[in-house]
Amino acid sequence: MGDGGDAPWTDPRLNGEARARAWAEALSPIFDIRVTDADAMAVDRELRNFNLGNMLFGRVDAPAQRLERDRARAAVHGVDHVLIQHYLTGHSQIEARGETRSVKAGDFVLMDLAQPVLLNAAPIKALSFVVPRVLFGEREMGDLHGTVLSPGLQPFVQTLGTLAREVGAMADTLSAAQAEALTDVAATLLRLSLGDDPAAQGRRD
């Protein structure tokens, strides 16, 4: 179920610059990456992706880096998905829709991959869901681009974090049936964590 194989930056014969280039290339379909301290680009950095059926799940142990997705990249790689990332350690600043927000350990940050975004991140460990837009129903996800969800501020976020960590711990061993069941739960918790949809209220009125 996982992507498997040895990542190119784990080759001990490579220097920090070469490992940083290999890391950036692996993420290039989604972000333009600049590792801000190539000397700290260790061979044991992790980037694993798992196909859970209805969505993708990822584990990452990333160096300090600058990540940018501009309009041109979004147009070339037309991904009608939303990236939701849960920080286990570390922090970042995200610039989206003309606003800058801070993301800290314990938070979730939501990125609409159809829109430009810029992140300046310290070394982080994180878990991520890449969710097709259709799983959010009629919810307008573009308006939530750059939203930060904190467990102390929004209901259900702490429960979503617990689920993400549990999936991260057993992603290597999940059966297809288990993965499908977990994605149903994850999608429900994501929708609950986002709260009521103001547009839906308008449609009912």
Side-chain angles (χ1 to χ4, degrees), residues 151-202:
L153 298 178
Q154 288 99 351
F156 300 105
V157 175
Q158 185 168 346
T159 306
L160 180 61
T162 299
L163 176 68
R165 292 188 295 274
E166 290 293 331
V167 174
M170 56 186 172
D172 298 274
T173 59
L174 288 173
S175 68
Q178 289 170 332
E180 183 177 355
L182 283 170
T183 59
D184 290 342
V185 175
T188 299
L189 283 172
L190 284 166
R191 290 191 294 267
L192 289 169
S193 297
L194 293 173
D196 294 333
D197 182 0
Q201 181 63 46

Side-chain angles (χ1 to χ4, degrees), residues 73-103:
R73 187 175 296 267
V76 171
H77 303 281
V79 181
D80 196 25
H81 288 64
V82 178
L83 170 63
I84 298 103
Q85 197 162 50
H86 177 43
Y87 282 29
L88 302 176
T89 65
H91 58 89
S92 73
Q93 296 281 322
I94 179 170
E95 297 179 19
R97 295 193 303 136
E99 298 182 28
T100 301
R101 297 179 176 91
S102 297
V103 190

